[in-house]
Amino acid sequence: MTEPGTAETQDLPAIAERGAAAAPAASRRTSLLVTLVLGGLTAVPPLSMDMYLPALPQVTAALHSPAATVQLTLTTCLAGMALGQMIVGPMSDKWGRRRPLLAGMVVYILATALCALATSAELLIAFRLLQGLAGAAGIVIARAVVRDLYDGVAMARFFSTLMLISGVAPVVAPLIGGQILRLTDWRGVFVVLTAVGVALTLLVWRKLDETLPPARRHSGGLGQTLRTMRDLLADRVFSGYVLVGAFAFAALFAYISASPFVIQEIYGASPQTFSLLFGINSVGLVAVGQVNGKLLVGRVGLDKVLGTGLALTALAATSLLLMSAGVFGPVGLVPMAAGLFVLMASMGLVMPSTNTLALLRTPHAAGSASALLGTSTFLLGSVASPLVGIAGERTAVPMALVQLSCAVLALVSFLGMCRPWQRRGESNGSTAGERTRL
């Protein structure tokens, strides 16, 4: 495939700054609203997954089902989100962004309401699968909309801003779920999620214009979709960024899956201490993402930012493995917490840069590209999750080993497939003609 944007990558930070300075005040105000809408759409998956977590024991008792069966309500929702992105992303390239997004949100509302009415675990599992499939529309189309509206530096900054919203959602979601359970039962969680879906759908309908003009849409059917996917994956650099993002997310997911019993069971922390540490780490991710968007983007090449983030991830995972294996002797909670903080915070450099660099190569098929990015992260994340407990709950070695393996594989993908030193013209991650409309 041709290298997109290579002829248009000259003095890009300056172009971005001129474009931003020329944007009218009304446009900037509207952009803030669009940012909130897109941020809300990217927050739907973590809200759908994490608000429900405190209710799992209640669901088990209320539906008279074993815990293993009720756990499938999480697995099927995650699987639905992975599969749904592969369906909705190409649809948005063919029919535009608004129609598939609104259709997905309407189905999400119906599926979530049905979850609240489920009378058996089997029905709840089926409705959660549908909820995941439909909820995927928000996250995959939000990324595609960002690609439609922004190029280069502006896109990287926008992704960093979105992280401010999507990064907070997993932290506050269990807290919100817990407060809901103080007022009502587990069905109330799905009632609240239904209301969130209705509010977002109305905002999308009223405030988010179509961003993909008819001239840029694909007219083919399934065959054209498969050919587009094949061409995207045939682009070695794009595939490299997809793998970088997927492996980095798998390292993060290993932390999310293992940290509750690593911190509480192995290091004896209370649930309150765990919640505090989890919150601090999430704030670290969001804060680094904002530093990246406000200070680094436009001054430092995106590939350099991404390489730095991956190096920090690998160093943090290495230190966690050495501490877990007892190389430094017995260590307390503070050194382990520090290592986890660095690993989590480094994602504030990795995630926005990966999304931007991958989507910069695919202006012709942003929906399909977004689908491949999202599906790969969900699939590898779901693979990493069970591996962290393979040696039981008495050692943190499996968690650290999975994290280090994922970090190394991400670095290998970056250096072996992306090869940024061969694409110096693209290293600033920008293309001319930056668009900041809406």
Side-chain angles (χ1 to χ4, degrees), residues 111-112 114-115 117-118 122-132:
T112 307
L114 288 172
C115 287
L117 301 174
E122 290 74 20
L123 282 175
L124 184 58
I125 289 169
F127 295 149
R128 286 282 280 175
L129 176 62
L130 183 60
Q131 184 192 38

Side-chain angles (χ1 to χ4, degrees), residues 160-244:
S160 294
T161 302
L162 285 187
M163 183 168 288
L164 181 62
I165 302 172
S166 59
V168 170
V171 181
V172 302
L175 301 177
I176 295 173
Q179 294 305 309
I180 292 171
L181 293 177
R182 296 181 65 179
L183 303 174
T184 182
D185 62 4
W186 64 274
R187 298 180 189 275
V189 174
F190 290 110
V191 172
V192 172
L193 285 172
T194 302
V196 170
V198 170
L200 272 175
T201 303
L202 290 175
L203 282 172
V204 169
W205 179 52
R206 294 286 302 275
K207 300 298 182 182
L208 188 64
D209 295 333
E210 179 58 63
T211 60
L212 186 67
R216 291 174 53 199
R217 298 176 191 176
H218 296 176
S219 58
L222 178 61
Q224 177 63 38
T225 297
L226 294 176
R227 284 191 293 273
T228 299
M229 293 283 190
R230 179 198 63 193
D231 291 343
L232 288 172
L233 293 174
D235 180 354
R236 169 181 51 79
V237 179
F238 171 78
S239 294
Y241 287 125
V242 169
L243 289 175
V244 169

